[in-house]
């Protein structure tokens, strides 16, 4: 029947593919591709942080690993960039402003996380922190790539956080670590929403097929 004829034709075509000129599929780099990759990395970091935060809070011990522990934010914790901005106000910002805020925040958060990486008490925890820091560094670079692809300049100034004084006692040091993880979780949650909205506004990269001329 007709269906068998079509199937036979497709089989013959597949068998003769090596005799055809090669097709080279290339994706033009652009904002859409950068945004998609940044969104995917943000969601990966969200997943990764859930496991890391639980492990680290258990390392800190009670009351930090108790599910209902919700302390007031101390003055020392203000050094950590806060994501607790009114959602309507945040959405009212331009894409450039939100991207710049994300870039500055993750650059600073990365500095604090690297300090944790050197002080964690177990080798396994230090390994996990180191892996997470590498992923977060990738996110910072990815956000920079998105800004560049959209024609936005990177925020000026060094990303090193000011006032990196050591806490006066062990409890305050643990409180700093607690707030660092809490703010990082909120930043990643909001960033995932930011990049999901942004990728809907920017069309995906165009995929082109080029025929390699083999002597033709």
């Amino acid at each position: 029947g007709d269906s068998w004829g079509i199937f036979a034709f497709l089989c013959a075509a597949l068998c003769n593919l090596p005799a055809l000129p090669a097709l080279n599929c290339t994706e033009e780099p652009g904002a859409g591709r950068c945004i998609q990759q940044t969104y995917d990395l943000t969601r990966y970091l969200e997943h990764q942080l859930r496991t890391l935060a639980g492990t680290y809070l258990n390392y800190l011990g009670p009351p930090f690993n108790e599910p209902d522990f919700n302390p007031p934010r101390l003055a020392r914790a203000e050094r950590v960039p806060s994501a607790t901005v009114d959602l309507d106000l945040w959405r009212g910002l331009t894409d450039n402003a939100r991207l710049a805020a994300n870039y500055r925040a993750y650059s600073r958060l990365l500095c604090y996380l690297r300090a944790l990486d050197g002080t964690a008490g177990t080798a396994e925890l230090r390994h996990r922190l180191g892996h997470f820091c590498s992923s977060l560094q990738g996110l910072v670079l990815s956000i920079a790539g998105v800004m560049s692809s959209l024609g936005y300049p990177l925020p000026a100034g060094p990303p090193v956080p000011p006032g990196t004084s050591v806490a006066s006692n062990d409890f305050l040091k643990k409180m700093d670590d607690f707030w660092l993880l809490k703010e990082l979780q909120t930043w990643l949650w909001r960033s995932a929403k930011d990049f999901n909205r942004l990728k809907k506004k920017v069309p995906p990269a165009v995929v082109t097929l080029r025929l390699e001329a083999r002597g033709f």
Side-chain angles (χ1 to χ4, degrees):
D2 292 340
S3 59
W4 176 254
I6 294 173
F7 176 75
F9 171 78
L10 290 175
C11 288
L14 289 172
C15 290
N16 286 284
L17 276 179
L20 296 175
L23 289 175
N24 182 24
C25 180
T26 59
E27 187 176 0
E28 297 294 337
R33 182 183 178 188
C34 290
I35 293 167
Q36 181 65 55
Q37 290 175 340
T38 307
Y39 169 76
D40 292 340
L41 181 55
T42 305
R43 294 305 306 270
Y44 169 72
L45 281 163
E46 273 192 294
H47 173 75
Q48 195 177 357
L49 183 60
R50 280 194 288 269
T51 301
L52 175 61
T55 303
Y56 196 85
L57 292 178
N58 284 333
Y59 162 71
L60 295 180
F64 300 98
N65 60 344
E66 296 172 358
D68 58 346
F69 182 60
N70 188 27
R73 190 180 175 100
L74 302 178
R76 285 183 53 83
E78 296 300 328
R79 298 179 298 127
V80 177
S82 176
T84 54
V85 178
D86 180 77
L87 284 179
D88 290 333
L89 178 62
W90 180 259
R91 291 172 183 169
L93 298 175
T94 63
D95 292 335
N96 187 7
R98 282 194 299 272
L99 285 167
N102 276 284
Y103 179 82
R104 285 192 298 265
Y106 289 120
S107 296
R108 291 182 60 189
L109 289 164
L110 180 60
C111 292
Y112 288 120
L113 279 171
R114 282 174 171 161
L116 291 189
D117 186 18
T119 59
T122 67
E124 179 185 358
L125 189 52
R126 287 194 297 271
H127 174 75
R128 290 191 180 188
L129 282 166
H131 179 68
F132 187 84
C133 285
S134 297
S135 299
L136 192 61
Q137 175 67 52
L139 179 60
V140 173
L141 295 175
S142 190
I143 293 173
V146 171
M147 296 186 72
S148 176
S149 66
L150 292 174
Y152 300 146
L154 290 180
V160 179
T164 54
S165 59
V166 179
S168 57
N169 60 58
D170 186 59
F171 183 82
L172 290 179
K173 170 64 172 62
K174 291 181 178 181
M175 187 70 79
D176 287 346
D177 296 351
F178 174 86
W179 274 106
L180 173 60
L181 295 173
K182 190 177 182 67
E183 288 294 351
L184 185 54
Q185 286 176 322
T186 308
W187 271 104
L188 288 171
W189 171 81
R190 190 171 64 188
S191 295
K193 293 185 175 296
D194 288 345
F195 288 111
N196 189 44
R197 285 192 296 268
L198 190 58
K199 72 177 184 175
K200 294 177 182 178
K201 294 172 62 176
V202 180
V206 177
V207 177
T208 60
L209 292 175
R210 291 205 299 266
L211 189 64
E212 292 184 355
R214 292 181 174 175
F216 291 98

